[in-house]
Amino acid sequence: MANLTWLYAKAALTGFTRRGSELPTAEKSFRVDVDRAHLAAYGRVCGFGVGDGLPLTYPHVLAFPAQVELMTGRGFPFPLPGLVHVANRITRTRPLHAGEPLDVHVSLANLRPHERGQQFDVRSTASVDGEEVWVDVSTYLRRGDGSGEPAGKDRAEPPTPTGRWRVPGDTGRRYAQVSGDRNPIHLHALTARAFGFPRAIAHGMWSKARCVAAFEGRLPDACTVDVRFKAPIPLPGAVDFSATPTGAGWRFALWSDRPHLEGVLHA
């Protein structure tokens, strides 16, 4: 497993040297056995119950070190600091269980223009006994000269809330402990200010996981959950959660004075 502390240091030291217009063809594959203590800790941070079933979002944290390794590796064209996680889509074909060894594969794909720069996907998959059962696609934005194409507008009015969640100030540190994502913008106000944020902000994948946890017991065995990350959630803070049934599943969102996350869940 990659050493994330070293990779973040590498990212800081080599970011200014990164140039290019193509993604490398590098990929990472490994097998992982689920640590039940780690699984339980993840569940506590994100709001899931304790059990042998893997939350839909849990394999993302298993794949994350390999994702960072690819984004700090030879030939990757962008500095890791400054990349913005703008979307994540996860599909599973069946529930996963802690006793199943997972074969995880991570690759980079689909570098393309964006109105504010360039975006690309980090694709992670998990297979059991040769069968691909889980696919995660994280989309990142590299700000810069963009395509100039118009952006879609945020919803003018917030949806009717179905719940209000308080997000404690240590949420970023607690999620960093279970995910390995110790980006300074999530840890303390002091380190976040060095990157232009007045306060620390919650991880996007924590906010997605917290939303998925709100549907625990109602997720179809085979399903897709697709989200767009809008504005960061400052820590500490509070957000309104809304969930509206649709013909195929649910539409959900996190809001405060602005949209933070918008997503859909469907079978």
Side-chain angles (χ1 to χ4, degrees), residues 9 43 53 62 112 115 171 194 206 212 214 217 221:
L62 302 180
R112 57 202 184 274
E115 57 140 8
T171 299
W206 173 86
V212 173
D221 286 351

Side-chain angles (χ1 to χ4, degrees), residues 146-197:
S147 65
E149 296 174 359
K153 294 183 178 179
D154 286 333
R155 196 179 300 169
E157 296 294 331
T160 302
T162 54
R164 185 168 178 80
W165 301 338
R166 297 196 177 278
V167 188
D170 65 350
T171 299
R173 294 188 292 276
R174 293 177 65 219
Y175 186 78
Q177 186 67 31
V178 296
S179 70
D181 186 354
R182 292 181 172 83
N183 188 322
I185 63 176
H186 301 304
L187 303 181
H188 297 277
L190 184 63
T191 54
R193 280 196 289 270
F195 293 87
F197 295 93

Side-chain angles (χ1 to χ4, degrees), residues 70-194:
L70 291 184
M71 289 189 287
T72 55
R74 183 184 301 275
F76 186 74
F78 309 125
L80 187 63
L83 290 180
V84 182
H85 194 184
V86 294
N88 176 269
R89 182 179 73 252
I90 296 176
T91 298
R92 75 178 184 193
T93 59
R94 66 162 177 83
L96 302 179
H97 301 281
E100 298 177 314
L102 300 177
D103 292 310
V104 179
H105 180 80
V106 181
S107 60
L108 307 172
N110 198 16
L111 180 63
R112 57 202 184 274
H114 183 275
E115 57 140 8
R116 289 179 290 167
Q118 293 177 287
Q119 60 183 1
F120 64 93
D121 298 329
V122 182
R123 188 176 189 271
S124 305
T125 66
S127 299
V128 177
D129 294 330
E131 176 191 5
E132 186 176 276
V133 293
W134 181 91
V135 180
D136 170 295
V137 179
S138 283
T139 300
Y140 288 87
L141 169 67
R142 167 62 177 170
R143 292 191 179 102
D145 294 335
S147 65
E149 296 174 359
K153 294 183 178 179
D154 286 333
R155 196 179 300 169
E157 296 294 331
T160 302
T162 54
R164 185 168 178 80
W165 301 338
R166 297 196 177 278
V167 188
D170 65 350
T171 299
R173 294 188 292 276
R174 293 177 65 219
Y175 186 78
Q177 186 67 31
V178 296
S179 70
D181 186 354
R182 292 181 172 83
N183 188 322
I185 63 176
H186 301 304
L187 303 181
H188 297 277
L190 184 63
T191 54
R193 280 196 289 270

Side-chain angles (χ1 to χ4, degrees), residues 161-255:
T162 54
R164 185 168 178 80
W165 301 338
R166 297 196 177 278
V167 188
D170 65 350
T171 299
R173 294 188 292 276
R174 293 177 65 219
Y175 186 78
Q177 186 67 31
V178 296
S179 70
D181 186 354
R182 292 181 172 83
N183 188 322
I185 63 176
H186 301 304
L187 303 181
H188 297 277
L190 184 63
T191 54
R193 280 196 289 270
F195 293 87
F197 295 93
R199 291 148 64 186
I201 62 174
H203 296 73
M205 287 304 295
W206 173 86
S207 64
K208 176 172 183 173
R210 183 65 185 85
C211 289
V212 173
F215 293 102
E216 196 166 28
R218 293 180 288 174
L219 285 181
D221 286 351
C223 61
T224 294
V225 181
D226 195 354
V227 304
R228 298 293 180 270
F229 302 116
K230 299 293 186 176
I233 299 174
L235 300 174
V239 292
D240 290 326
F241 172 72
S242 69
T244 305
T246 66
W250 297 81
R251 185 175 297 276
F252 59 95
L254 291 178
W255 275 72

